[in-house]
Amino acid sequence: MTKTRVAVDVGGTFTDICIMDETTGAIRIEKTASTPDDPMRAVMNGVGQAEIDLTDVSMFSHGTTVATNALITRNLPRTAMVCTEGFRDVVEIRRANKEDLWDTYKDVAKPYIPRRDRLTVRERVDAEGQVLTPLNEDDARRVANVLKKRGVKSIAVCFMNSYVNPENEKRMRDILLEVIPDVPVSISAEIMPEIFEHERFSTAMANAVVSPVVVDYVSRLSDKLADGGYARELLLLHTGGGVMTPRAVRDYAARLAGSGIAAGAIASRFIGNLCGYPNTIGFDMGGTSTDVSVSYQGEPRITKDWYIEYGYPIRFPSIEVLTIGAGGGSLAWKDEGGSLRNGPQSAGAYPGPACYKNGNETATNTDANVVLGRLGTSLAGGKVTLDPALAAEAVRTTVAEPFGMTLHEAAEAIVRVANANMANAVRLLSISRGYDPRDFALCAFGGAGALHGAAVARELSIPTVIVPPNPGVTSALGCLLVDIQHDFSDSFMKRADQTEMAELEAAYRKIEAEARTQLEHEGVEEKDMILTRTAEMMYHGQWRSLEVPVSADIQDVQDLADAFHAEHEREYNYARKEAAVSIFRVAVKAIGLVPKAELQKHAVTPYTPEPVAHRPVWFEGSEFQASVFERETLKAGAKIAGPAIIEQFDSTTVVPPAMTAEVDAYMNILIDTKG
């Protein structure tokens, strides 16, 4: 009996299922309609539609939008926050900033927990960790009883300076659990043990409000899979680029916020490494948005500055992904200054582009590509038929006539504006971070990524575009390629030149002990544990920090300071080597290795395939007869000269004139943008 691995990625329109045969490495895919009211139904529908025997599944990995959707829609259970007296409004005051500095009428959204459910107790810890006022237990019990009467479903405990001494927070949790034993309690000192009270309070708040929703979903799905015969742990993808078990979800539920977009970044990094490109830019273009990520020297770029709603940061480490409103359904429009714009408004899944025949009359990127001949008359293996006449009419009335252009000029203008928007997004994550795009390969996936990838790469002088075998379900593939991973940290707050190596080592050993305990609880054996150290550092007196890898055999703290100077110079193009450096935080990434099957590899035999058809396609104002290929007929070693169109079930790849493409041993299409 063969063993299979299953990954499921839930999207807004479709739920993607990726099934890998462990013996051969062969992959098959399935798509089913998402069920927003209960995503579990779509997951199980997909399992049934793909005819997966759960008794034969060795790993079931899942990227979920449950936490993200709960925060966006604010369909949240009643949650309370217990704060130090006088500090109940920290999460409402925030940083007193706004997303749009110049819009005086646009307010930041209200906190996830309203003021009436943010209660206070008397206690105080100073900045050095000394308990100035022990927790007033009369206050604590009064608050606990009030919350019990209110029927709250979850509680966050957020005290001042608890990151340096959590004694009062822990005692508050004990009292809450005595009075309300079945309610989950998130304490900020364990969720995010670092300075900056708003960020710590906000992360604990987000964790508390999504905990009941996520735990309920994960428990129901685990039970449903077990009923079907699945005998292993359900693995859930989190934003840091790893997976966590249901046990870890109970403590760190908010790590699943943004789960879905991390999968694509993981897959693009893996595919880039497989193709010999350790520097990869992930370019995931779908129907309404495009997600851009960067992997440098084989590792994804990690950030702690992210949020679902502006003003309420979630400070768990996350793969940095930039999302912009550019997709196949993005609308073309004319602004007040008379310029052509593209997105972020979208026709969505319904009514969709004009060519979908559902009543939309405004041109979209999909309509423009149909007019230019880059898209055929059907998608998804014929499940969706496109009407070229409706696409042409939408482009004519939306852009051609208002701007005095011909039909094809207008269609190309729409696509050029979209490509420029996406190229700018890539610049924000590459050039503005100190990376040269010319040193990277662009991994283009999603339903529309391969359609625009070559043009975006040319705009940025990126030499190679990688199109995975199944671009539309590449994010689901990412769920198959990850290990169990947790991030542990502690504040350090000391100048490097005043730090003894033994002191730093003791701080790391304390965190590593906690990390090993967590992995042991999840059934990871010692031989499968990998612990890596990092330090967040800054020039003394600053508050913005940079993360620096810390070697296990480092002998001198000065070596760490030198590493910080080098990283600062790479990131900002300068370093002040004469300035004092402070260590802000010490952290450990704990990885529990999950055995991975290898993707199927094919023998490469160079050849020139015969096209199945030719059709007129427009590039740069000229009409070309482009060769059309069916991707499933291409073998490893196939070499194709542009202009060419490569069609498949879940995507279309465009190879512009003067570019060439070939199929590698793993069935990726590699486009040489230099010709």
Side-chain angles (χ1 to χ4, degrees):
M1 182 180 292
T2 61
K3 285 288 184 182
T4 56
R5 294 174 180 231
V6 178
V8 179
D9 181 56
V10 177
T13 306
F14 290 105
T15 292
D16 299 330
I17 299 95
C18 189
I19 307 107
M20 176 188 283
D21 185 320
E22 284 188 350
T23 306
T24 65
I27 287 178
R28 62 188 179 94
I29 64 173
E30 193 61 67
K31 277 181 174 286
T32 190
S34 294
T35 52
D37 59 315
D38 184 4
M40 188 186 76
R41 285 196 294 113
V43 174
M44 298 311 299
N45 289 345
V47 168
Q49 190 173 311
E51 299 181 345
I52 297 169
D53 182 356
L54 289 171
T55 62
D56 188 38
V57 174
S58 62
M59 186 180 86
F60 196 105
S61 183
H62 179 28
T64 174
T65 56
V66 169
T68 309
N69 290 343
L71 292 172
I72 290 173
T73 63
R74 293 191 170 232
N75 186 13
L76 302 165
R78 188 169 187 177
T79 305
M81 177 182 284
V82 183
C83 308
T84 305
E85 186 176 57
F87 293 92
R88 71 191 295 193
D89 294 319
V90 165
V91 292
E92 196 140 14
I93 297 171
R94 303 179 312 279
R95 291 289 169 194
N97 53 5
K98 304 179 76 171
E99 188 170 20
D100 186 346
L101 183 63
W102 308 110
D103 188 345
T104 58
Y105 296 100
K106 184 178 179 180
D107 292 325
V108 176
K110 294 291 185 182
Y112 300 120
I113 300 175
R115 195 172 195 269
R116 64 179 177 273
D117 288 329
R118 301 196 302 265
L119 308 183
T120 65
V121 294
R122 285 170 286 179
E123 70 82 36
R124 199 60 192 265
V125 174
D126 70 12
E128 301 298 324
Q130 180 181 349
V131 178
L132 301 179
T133 304
L135 174 66
N136 186 303
E137 298 204 1
D138 291 337
D139 285 0
R141 293 187 185 279
R142 173 184 55 78
V143 165
N145 282 294
V146 168
L147 297 180
K148 182 179 182 179
K149 289 179 181 178
R150 292 184 182 181
V152 299
K153 303 300 182 184
S154 184
I155 303 170
V157 179
C158 304
F159 290 167
M160 294 298 293
N161 295 323
S162 62
Y163 69 94
V164 70
N165 183 351
E167 179 183 326
N168 285 352
E169 276 195 356
K170 289 182 176 179
R171 181 55 187 152
M172 184 71 227
R173 176 176 59 187
D174 292 342
I175 292 172
L176 287 167
L177 293 176
E178 287 174 17
V179 178
I180 329 174
D182 297 328
V183 171
V185 179
S186 300
I187 68 171
S188 72
E190 290 182 355
I191 298 298
M192 186 52 53
E194 64 177 53
I195 198 173
F196 303 129
E197 64 278 358
H198 170 54
E199 287 74 9
R200 179 162 49 86
F201 285 23
S202 176
T203 304
M205 175 176 66
N207 197 75
V209 297
V210 301
S211 181
V213 178
V214 171
V215 170
D216 173 70
Y217 173 77
V218 170
S219 298
R220 289 190 298 113
L221 181 56
S222 294
D223 291 344
K224 198 74 174 176
L225 293 172
D227 292 344
Y230 180 58
R232 304 285 184 89
E233 287 268 31
L234 169 65
L235 299 178
L236 296 124
L237 184 74
H238 63 69
T239 54
V243 287
M244 56 203 298
T245 63
R247 176 191 173 90
V249 169
R250 288 197 296 268
D251 296 326
Y252 301 102
R255 291 217 71 174
L256 296 183
S259 165
I261 59 175
I266 294 164
S268 65
R269 177 194 64 175
F270 173 83
I271 292 166
N273 287 337
L274 202 65
C275 296
Y277 297 94
N279 297 345
T280 312
I281 294 171
F283 179 73
D284 179 3
M285 183 180 178
T288 57
S289 63
T290 296
D291 298 326
V292 179
S293 60
V294 169
S295 292
Y296 179 66
Q297 295 182 354
E299 294 297 326
R301 184 178 171 87
I302 301 296
T303 183
K304 292 183 72 182
D305 295 321
W306 65 283
Y307 50 84
I308 300 299
E309 280 192 280
Y310 180 82
Y312 303 105
I314 302 173
R315 292 277 292 174
F316 292 124
S318 171
I319 292 177
E320 186 173 26
V321 178
L322 178 62
T323 300
I324 66 167
S330 294
L331 300 172
W333 54 285
K334 186 177 184 179
D335 69 13
E336 293 178 355
S339 298
L340 177 62
R341 298 297 184 96
N342 189 297
Q345 303 93 327
S346 173
Y350 191 90
C355 57
Y356 279 20
K357 300 172 287 188
N358 291 326
N360 173 40
E361 297 179 352
T362 303
T364 66
N365 292 327
T366 296
D367 296 312
N369 279 306
V370 169
V371 169
L372 295 171
R374 301 177 191 183
L375 274 178
T377 57
S378 68
L379 299 175
K383 293 181 181 178
V384 179
T385 58
L386 308 180
D387 188 327
L390 289 177
E393 182 62 21
V395 171
R396 181 177 294 107
T397 57
T398 305
V399 178
E401 292 175 355
F403 287 93
M405 299 178 179
T406 66
L407 179 65
H408 291 100
E409 286 175 342
E412 280 203 279
I414 293 170
V415 172
R416 278 202 306 272
V417 173
N419 290 341
N421 290 341
M422 293 183 287
N424 284 337
V426 174
R427 290 186 182 98
L428 282 173
L429 277 195
S430 56
I431 295 171
S432 67
R433 300 289 194 269
Y435 303 111
D436 188 337
R438 294 172 295 185
D439 298 332
F440 289 74
L442 186 78
C443 186
F445 57 100
L451 196 61
H452 292 257
V456 171
R458 180 171 54 194
E459 177 94 6
L460 297 162
S461 300
I462 296 173
T464 304
V465 177
I466 305 169
V467 182
N470 303 110
V473 296
T474 296
S475 290
L477 173 65
C479 296
L480 285 179
L481 306 171
V482 290
D483 296 304
I484 293 173
Q485 178 184 308
H486 301 291
D487 297 276
F488 298 87
S489 63
D490 208 349
S491 291
F492 196 79
M493 307 292 289
K494 199 167 184 180
R495 279 176 53 153
D497 57 10
Q498 296 174 358
T499 299
E500 296 293 332
M501 195 61 222
E503 183 182 9
L504 188 62
E505 182 67 22
Y508 278 115
R509 289 191 181 278
K510 175 188 172 186
I511 303 172
E512 287 171 344
E514 182 183 355
R516 285 193 174 89
T517 299
Q518 177 68 38
L519 291 177
E520 286 169 2
H521 284 322
E522 294 181 307
V524 179
E525 297 182 15
E526 180 72 29
K527 65 180 179 63
D528 293 325
M529 296 181 188
I530 297 177
L531 305 181
T532 58
R533 299 174 173 182
T534 58
E536 287 193 28
M537 306 177 69
M538 63 189 79
Y539 287 117
H540 187 65
Q542 291 185 326
W543 67 275
R544 293 187 182 274
S545 59
L546 281 176
E547 189 172 69
V548 178
V550 179
S551 172
D553 57 358
I554 187 171
Q555 300 296 317
D556 192 332
V557 178
Q558 183 56 44
D559 295 338
L560 195 55
D562 292 341
F564 168 76
H565 291 307
E567 178 64 12
H568 198 279
E569 186 156 14
R570 189 208 59 74
E571 182 90 3
Y572 299 112
N573 205 33
Y574 80 95
R576 296 177 55 204
K577 297 184 179 179
E578 74 286 353
V581 174
S582 291
I583 302 172
F584 166 60
R585 198 171 68 101
V586 290
V588 170
K589 178 182 290 186
I591 296 173
L593 295 177
V594 174
K596 298 175 186 63
E598 294 186 4
L599 296 181
Q600 188 173 17
K601 190 173 183 179
H602 303 261
V604 176
T605 304
Y607 77 104
T608 302
E610 286 295 321
V612 297
H614 292 84
R615 71 168 179 248
V617 181
W618 287 75
F619 293 97
E620 303 296 333
S622 300
E623 182 181 349
F624 295 82
Q625 285 297 314
S627 302
V628 181
F629 300 87
E630 293 178 353
R631 186 163 185 179
E632 57 267 27
T633 66
L634 300 179
K635 299 176 182 178
K639 294 181 179 293
I640 295 170
I645 306 296
I646 305 170
E647 298 179 332
Q648 63 187 104
F649 172 78
D650 58 342
S651 189
T652 298
T653 301
V654 172
V655 184
M659 295 189 188
T660 58
E662 62 178 287
V663 180
D664 73 359
Y666 294 98
M667 305 306 291
N668 299 295
I669 295 174
L670 305 182
I671 301 174
D672 182 355
T673 64
K674 303 184 300 299

